Amino acid sequence: MPSIAETLCSFAGKKAKPFLKEVHDASKIINDIFYWAVISPLRGRPVRFRAAVSEMVKAGYNSVPIVAVISLFIGIILAFQSAYQLKKVGALIYVANLIGVSITRELGPIITAIIVSGRSGSAFAAEIGSMKAAEEIDALISMGINPVRFIVVPKLIALMIMVPALTIFSDIIGMLGGFILSVSVLEIHPASYFQQTVNALLVKDVMTGLVKAWAFGILITIVGSYQGFKVTGGAEEVGRRTTAAVVASIFLVIVFDLFFTALFYYFT
């Protein structure tokens, strides 16, 4: 009869085995993406830039309307919430400071990343998963074409460029929303609001947000691609992996945002 220690070790081993396999598979695809995106072009295997441009249109340009609407609303909401507290101490003008800094450092990057996770991260998982289910991935491999180089690297380049670009757009629209609310409802003079925003914002605030956005683009691509390549069945499995890609992307975006926020708090 096995002892209690042996039973606990056996139980822990059974639970750890699937987790370690997930870690191994994730590490393998991260290694492949790094090789085909960074090392391979240095050895004369160019990146598919036309495919990357196409992905930029789908992931970036097509996301502009939803990013604009949500960023505008977030700016207005933030202005309302800031004014609710600041008017008690007669410091309404500092609404401009709070909106400018919080949107560029925090809300712009994370709102953009969540929108891109929902649109592009899920699309990546569904596209790759459908190709896997239809054995198109196997066909590429049999023709000597690496699927990571052919499919994933253009998506990676697209999100590394478009997520920071969308973040800048989100920052501008979000601050515009706060400006509109402040000058119309809070009756702050437009010139005073603009000057206060200029005084409050520093270059490092904008750069902090852009570094986060760049990292979020890489993260969303890896998660979406990983879930797509993990598909082993038909349409039901593709749907399950697509949902998992969105959930995991948003979760990891928030975790990495916490990490970067703490890092920049102490080192900037």
Side-chain angles (χ1 to χ4, degrees), residues 134-233:
E135 299 182 349
E136 294 177 32
I137 299 292
D138 294 333
L140 288 174
I141 295 172
S142 66
M143 290 187 291
I145 299 173
N146 186 282
V148 172
R149 173 176 179 266
F150 191 78
I151 303 170
V152 179
V153 173
K155 300 181 188 304
L156 176 70
I157 293 172
L159 289 202
M160 286 171 65
I161 295 173
M162 295 313 298
V163 175
L166 284 171
T167 297
I168 294 173
F169 180 70
S170 173
D171 291 347
I172 295 170
I173 297 297
M175 287 189 285
L176 178 64
F179 174 81
I180 293 171
L181 189 282
S182 298
V183 301
S184 60
V185 177
L186 305 180
E187 298 180 347
I188 298 175
H189 193 279
S192 301
Y193 186 95
F194 179 77
Q195 188 60 48
Q196 194 71 17
T197 301
V198 171
N199 293 339
L201 274 183
L202 300 175
V203 174
K204 70 177 183 181
D205 295 327
V206 180
M207 293 307 298
T208 297
L210 294 182
V211 170
K212 286 183 181 180
W214 181 78
F216 293 160
I218 297 174
L219 180 68
I220 293 166
T221 307
I222 291 173
V223 173
S225 303
Y226 170 75
Q227 293 293 344
F229 281 117
K230 291 289 287 182
V231 169
T232 55

Side-chain angles (χ1 to χ4, degrees), residues 14 25 32 44 56 76 81 85 105 107 115 130 154 173 234:
K14 288 179 181 176
D25 293 344
D32 287 348
M56 286 182 201
I76 294 172
Q81 295 293 352
Q85 291 296 324
R105 288 182 69 99
L107 292 176
I115 292 171
S130 299
I173 297 297

Side-chain angles (χ1 to χ4, degrees), residues 58-60 63 66-67 70 108-126 159 162-163 166-167 212-213 215-225 227 241-257:
K58 289 190 282 187
S63 299
I66 185 67
V67 170
I70 292 181
I110 202 164
I111 289 169
T112 304
I114 289 173
I115 292 171
V116 173
S117 296
R119 291 189 78 259
S120 303
S122 60
F124 293 171
L159 289 202
M162 295 313 298
V163 175
L166 284 171
T167 297
K212 286 183 181 180
F216 293 160
I218 297 174
L219 180 68
I220 293 166
T221 307
I222 291 173
V223 173
S225 303
Q227 293 293 344
R241 288 290 177 180
T242 301
T243 304
V246 176
V247 174
S249 294
I250 294 175
F251 173 76
L252 290 174
V253 161
I254 293 173
V255 171
F256 273 72
D257 183 63

